[in-house]
Amino acid sequence: MAFRGKEMMKKLMRKVGGEKNLAPGVKESLKKCVPDSRIVMNRAKRGLFAGKHIQFGNRVSEDGGNKTRRNWKPNVQEKRLFSYIMDRHIRVKVTTHALRCIDKAGGIDEYLLKTPYHKMDTEMGLYWKTKIEKLYEELGQTEVVFFTPEEEAKLEQDFKDMKLAQRATRRELRRQMYGGSSKQKQTEQGSADTQETAEEAAKILSEGIPNEYAPEDLVANS
C-alpha cells in the first residue's frame, strides 16, 4: 500500500512530457507539497479521493467488549465529469466526499484549480491539476477577436448550412450502402401493388362485364 512521493514525481513528469510542458514554478511547488513518506492507497492512484483513504480500527462487541480488527474503505463511485477547458467528459473514480467538493467548487476544472497541491494526495489528481493549469495558461495567452453582429449571423448561417450538407451526405451514403431502408422498400412495393390493382380494374371496365354475369341470367337464376 506504500506509495512514495519520488515515484509519484517521476510518473508525473513522464505523463506531462517533461519539465518544458509545466508552468513556471509548478515543479518546485510539487516537490514541496509531495512528501517523501506519504502513504496512500494504491487504489487512489486511479481517481480523486479528496483525502479519503482506508482507515483501520477495532470492532468492539457489546457483551464482553472483545476487540476485532477491521477497516473502513471510502465510498468510491465511477463518474463522467465534464471539463470545459478540454471540451469533453472525463471518466474518473471519485469518492462521494470528492463529488461534494467538486459541486461546491463549480466543476472539475474549478476544483482542480482551487485545491492546493498538498491536498492532492493522489497521482491522478496531481496529473490533472498540472495539465489543466497548463491549458488555462495557454488559453490566457491566446488573442481574442470580436465579430460584428452581421459577421456572427453569417458564421451561424454557414455553420447551419454545413451541418445540413453533412446530414444530406450521410443520408445519401447510407442509401447507397444499404439500398434504402426497409420502410422505403415496403412503401415502394405497396405503391406498385396499388398501381397494378388500378390497372386491372381499368382493364375490366374497358372490356365490359362478361356474359355469364349478365343481368338477365342473374334474374332467371333467382
Side-chain angles (χ1 to χ4, degrees):
M1 193 176 75
F3 191 68
R4 299 292 179 178
K6 290 183 179 179
E7 298 175 0
M8 186 186 295
M9 284 294 301
K10 291 179 182 178
K11 290 183 180 180
L12 282 173
M13 291 297 108
R14 286 199 298 267
K15 284 188 176 181
V16 173
E19 300 180 11
K20 59 181 180 180
N21 293 329
L22 288 176
V26 173
K27 185 178 179 181
E28 289 73 14
S29 301
L30 284 173
K31 285 183 178 179
K32 293 178 182 178
C33 299
V34 179
D36 294 337
S37 60
R38 182 67 179 175
I39 298 176
V40 298
M41 299 173 59
N42 284 335
R43 186 182 180 189
K45 295 186 293 184
R46 303 181 295 273
L48 299 175
F49 278 38
K52 298 296 181 181
H53 300 288
I54 190 170
Q55 296 179 357
F56 300 93
N58 296 320
R59 181 186 293 110
V60 183
S61 63
E62 296 181 358
D63 298 333
N66 300 322
K67 295 182 179 179
T68 307
R69 296 295 293 175
R70 61 156 297 179
N71 55 28
W72 290 269
K73 294 181 180 180
N75 186 5
V76 183
Q77 306 290 332
E78 187 174 359
K79 297 292 182 180
R80 291 172 68 248
L81 304 175
F82 186 76
S83 173
Y84 289 97
I85 187 65
M86 301 184 70
D87 196 19
R88 68 181 180 90
H89 284 87
I90 301 173
R91 187 178 294 275
V92 62
K93 293 181 179 180
V94 293
T95 60
T96 52
H97 175 68
L99 279 177
R100 289 193 296 270
C101 294
I102 291 171
D103 292 339
K104 185 177 179 180
I108 183 66
D109 297 340
E110 288 77 8
Y111 169 74
L112 293 173
L113 291 174
K114 293 177 182 178
T115 305
Y117 278 99
H118 68 273
K119 290 188 177 181
M120 285 291 179
D121 52 358
T122 60
E123 177 188 357
M124 188 174 185
L126 290 171
Y127 168 67
W128 283 109
K129 182 175 175 65
T130 54
K131 187 172 184 178
I132 286 181
E133 282 185 350
K134 182 67 178 178
L135 291 174
Y136 269 101
E137 183 185 2
E138 294 176 355
L139 182 64
Q141 295 176 358
T142 56
E143 297 182 359
V144 180
V145 180
F146 296 97
F147 295 97
T148 61
E150 293 79 8
E151 293 175 347
E152 289 183 358
K154 184 179 178 182
L155 288 173
E156 185 177 359
Q157 186 63 33
D158 293 342
F159 184 74
K160 289 181 180 178
D161 295 341
M162 182 181 68
K163 286 291 184 182
L164 291 174
Q166 290 178 354
R167 194 177 302 171
T169 304
R170 287 196 297 267
R171 191 184 300 112
E172 185 65 27
L173 287 175
R174 284 197 298 268
R175 188 180 293 111
Q176 292 178 2
M177 289 175 61
Y178 303 107
S181 62
S182 59
K183 191 173 182 180
Q184 290 179 351
K185 290 181 179 179
Q186 292 177 1
T187 305
E188 293 175 358
Q189 187 176 1
S191 61
D193 295 341
T194 305
Q195 187 176 1
E196 291 178 0
T197 306
E199 290 177 356
E200 291 177 359
K203 185 177 180 181
I204 292 172
L205 291 175
S206 61
E207 292 178 356
I209 301 175
N211 295 327
E212 59 267 17
Y213 299 110
E216 295 81 0
D217 298 337
L218 292 174
V219 172
N221 292 332
S222 62

mmCIF file of all heavy atoms in Angstrom, residues 192-208:
data_model
loop_
_atom_site.group_PDB
_atom_site.id
_atom_site.type_symbol
_atom_site.label_atom_id
_atom_site.label_comp_id
_atom_site.label_asym_id
_atom_site.label_seq_id
_atom_site.Cartn_x
_atom_site.Cartn_y
_atom_site.Cartn_z
ATOM 1 N N ALA A 192 -46.559 0.014 -55.803
ATOM 2 C CA ALA A 192 -46.588 -0.783 -57.040
ATOM 3 C C ALA A 192 -47.804 -1.700 -57.067
ATOM 4 O O ALA A 192 -48.475 -1.851 -58.109
ATOM 5 C CB ALA A 192 -45.296 -1.600 -57.148
ATOM 6 N N ASP A 193 -48.134 -2.364 -55.941
ATOM 7 C CA ASP A 193 -49.323 -3.226 -55.899
ATOM 8 C C ASP A 193 -50.601 -2.432 -56.142
ATOM 9 O O ASP A 193 -51.513 -2.875 -56.847
ATOM 10 C CB ASP A 193 -49.403 -3.927 -54.548
ATOM 11 C CG ASP A 193 -48.229 -4.892 -54.329
ATOM 12 O OD1 ASP A 193 -47.600 -5.257 -55.342
ATOM 13 O OD2 ASP A 193 -47.942 -5.225 -53.159
ATOM 14 N N THR A 194 -50.684 -1.257 -55.582
ATOM 15 C CA THR A 194 -51.868 -0.409 -55.786
ATOM 16 C C THR A 194 -52.014 -0.015 -57.249
ATOM 17 O O THR A 194 -53.116 0.000 -57.808
ATOM 18 C CB THR A 194 -51.757 0.849 -54.903
ATOM 19 O OG1 THR A 194 -51.551 0.456 -53.547
ATOM 20 C CG2 THR A 194 -53.010 1.690 -54.998
ATOM 21 N N GLN A 195 -50.879 0.270 -57.882
ATOM 22 C CA GLN A 195 -50.927 0.649 -59.292
ATOM 23 C C GLN A 195 -51.378 -0.531 -60.156
ATOM 24 O O GLN A 195 -52.177 -0.373 -61.086
ATOM 25 C CB GLN A 195 -49.546 1.142 -59.731
ATOM 26 C CG GLN A 195 -49.520 1.712 -61.140
ATOM 27 C CD GLN A 195 -48.161 2.281 -61.505
ATOM 28 O OE1 GLN A 195 -47.254 2.220 -60.684
ATOM 29 N NE2 GLN A 195 -48.042 2.810 -62.691
ATOM 30 N N GLU A 196 -50.896 -1.755 -59.853
ATOM 31 C CA GLU A 196 -51.314 -2.932 -60.615
ATOM 32 C C GLU A 196 -52.811 -3.194 -60.450
ATOM 33 O O GLU A 196 -53.523 -3.524 -61.412
ATOM 34 C CB GLU A 196 -50.509 -4.148 -60.154
ATOM 35 C CG GLU A 196 -49.040 -4.093 -60.549
ATOM 36 C CD GLU A 196 -48.276 -5.289 -60.029
ATOM 37 O OE1 GLU A 196 -48.922 -6.141 -59.370
ATOM 38 O OE2 GLU A 196 -47.052 -5.382 -60.281
ATOM 39 N N THR A 197 -53.328 -3.050 -59.222
ATOM 40 C CA THR A 197 -54.761 -3.258 -58.988
ATOM 41 C C THR A 197 -55.603 -2.252 -59.755
ATOM 42 O O THR A 197 -56.647 -2.587 -60.350
ATOM 43 C CB THR A 197 -55.052 -3.153 -57.485
ATOM 44 O OG1 THR A 197 -54.210 -4.051 -56.770
ATOM 45 C CG2 THR A 197 -56.505 -3.496 -57.191
ATOM 46 N N ALA A 198 -55.154 -1.020 -59.784
ATOM 47 C CA ALA A 198 -55.887 0.012 -60.515
ATOM 48 C C ALA A 198 -55.878 -0.279 -62.021
ATOM 49 O O ALA A 198 -56.891 -0.094 -62.721
ATOM 50 C CB ALA A 198 -55.274 1.380 -60.217
ATOM 51 N N GLU A 199 -54.735 -0.786 -62.540
ATOM 52 C CA GLU A 199 -54.675 -1.102 -63.970
ATOM 53 C C GLU A 199 -55.609 -2.261 -64.310
ATOM 54 O O GLU A 199 -56.286 -2.243 -65.347
ATOM 55 C CB GLU A 199 -53.224 -1.441 -64.341
ATOM 56 C CG GLU A 199 -52.291 -0.244 -64.297
ATOM 57 C CD GLU A 199 -50.853 -0.631 -64.602
ATOM 58 O OE1 GLU A 199 -50.600 -1.857 -64.765
ATOM 59 O OE2 GLU A 199 -49.991 0.265 -64.676
ATOM 60 N N GLU A 200 -55.669 -3.290 -63.429
ATOM 61 C CA GLU A 200 -56.572 -4.415 -63.697
ATOM 62 C C GLU A 200 -58.036 -3.967 -63.678
ATOM 63 O O GLU A 200 -58.848 -4.393 -64.513
ATOM 64 C CB GLU A 200 -56.345 -5.505 -62.649
ATOM 65 C CG GLU A 200 -54.998 -6.204 -62.791
ATOM 66 C CD GLU A 200 -54.783 -7.228 -61.700
ATOM 67 O OE1 GLU A 200 -55.688 -7.355 -60.835
ATOM 68 O OE2 GLU A 200 -53.734 -7.893 -61.704
ATOM 69 N N ALA A 201 -58.396 -3.091 -62.727
ATOM 70 C CA ALA A 201 -59.778 -2.612 -62.674
ATOM 71 C C ALA A 201 -60.127 -1.805 -63.909
ATOM 72 O O ALA A 201 -61.236 -1.940 -64.487
ATOM 73 C CB ALA A 201 -59.977 -1.773 -61.410
ATOM 74 N N ALA A 202 -59.210 -0.993 -64.368
ATOM 75 C CA ALA A 202 -59.475 -0.208 -65.578
ATOM 76 C C ALA A 202 -59.614 -1.101 -66.798
ATOM 77 O O ALA A 202 -60.436 -0.852 -67.689
ATOM 78 C CB ALA A 202 -58.335 0.806 -65.772
ATOM 79 N N LYS A 203 -58.821 -2.177 -66.836
ATOM 80 C CA LYS A 203 -58.899 -3.097 -67.972
ATOM 81 C C LYS A 203 -60.238 -3.808 -68.003
ATOM 82 O O LYS A 203 -60.865 -3.978 -69.070
ATOM 83 C CB LYS A 203 -57.762 -4.101 -67.867
ATOM 84 C CG LYS A 203 -57.672 -5.040 -69.054
ATOM 85 C CD LYS A 203 -56.471 -5.958 -68.897
ATOM 86 C CE LYS A 203 -56.370 -6.925 -70.086
ATOM 87 N NZ LYS A 203 -55.226 -7.843 -69.944
ATOM 88 N N ILE A 204 -60.726 -4.235 -66.830
ATOM 89 C CA ILE A 204 -62.029 -4.907 -66.774
ATOM 90 C C ILE A 204 -63.150 -3.974 -67.202
ATOM 91 O O ILE A 204 -64.065 -4.352 -67.954
ATOM 92 C CB ILE A 204 -62.272 -5.445 -65.349
ATOM 93 C CG1 ILE A 204 -61.301 -6.593 -65.053
ATOM 94 C CG2 ILE A 204 -63.705 -5.915 -65.177
ATOM 95 C CD1 ILE A 204 -61.328 -7.055 -63.623
ATOM 96 N N LEU A 205 -63.087 -2.742 -66.742
ATOM 97 C CA LEU A 205 -64.127 -1.783 -67.124
ATOM 98 C C LEU A 205 -64.097 -1.491 -68.611
ATOM 99 O O LEU A 205 -65.134 -1.281 -69.245
ATOM 100 C CB LEU A 205 -63.947 -0.496 -66.323
ATOM 101 C CG LEU A 205 -64.254 -0.594 -64.826
ATOM 102 C CD1 LEU A 205 -63.903 0.726 -64.139
ATOM 103 C CD2 LEU A 205 -65.730 -0.930 -64.609
ATOM 104 N N SER A 206 -62.899 -1.439 -69.182
ATOM 105 C CA SER A 206 -62.811 -1.144 -70.621
ATOM 106 C C SER A 206 -63.314 -2.312 -71.465
ATOM 107 O O SER A 206 -63.930 -2.131 -72.509
ATOM 108 C CB SER A 206 -61.358 -0.812 -70.998
ATOM 109 O OG SER A 206 -60.512 -1.931 -70.730
ATOM 110 N N GLU A 207 -63.103 -3.578 -71.022
ATOM 111 C CA GLU A 207 -63.552 -4.736 -71.792
ATOM 112 C C GLU A 207 -65.037 -4.998 -71.616
ATOM 113 O O GLU A 207 -65.667 -5.660 -72.429
ATOM 114 C CB GLU A 207 -62.755 -5.968 -71.354
ATOM 115 C CG GLU A 207 -61.290 -5.891 -71.754
ATOM 116 C CD GLU A 207 -60.510 -7.098 -71.256
ATOM 117 O OE1 GLU A 207 -61.129 -7.928 -70.535
ATOM 118 O OE2 GLU A 207 -59.312 -7.209 -71.581
ATOM 119 N N GLY A 208 -65.615 -4.540 -70.521
ATOM 120 C CA GLY A 208 -67.029 -4.778 -70.277
ATOM 121 C C GLY A 208 -67.246 -5.966 -69.378
ATOM 122 O O GLY A 208 -66.340 -6.771 -69.131
#
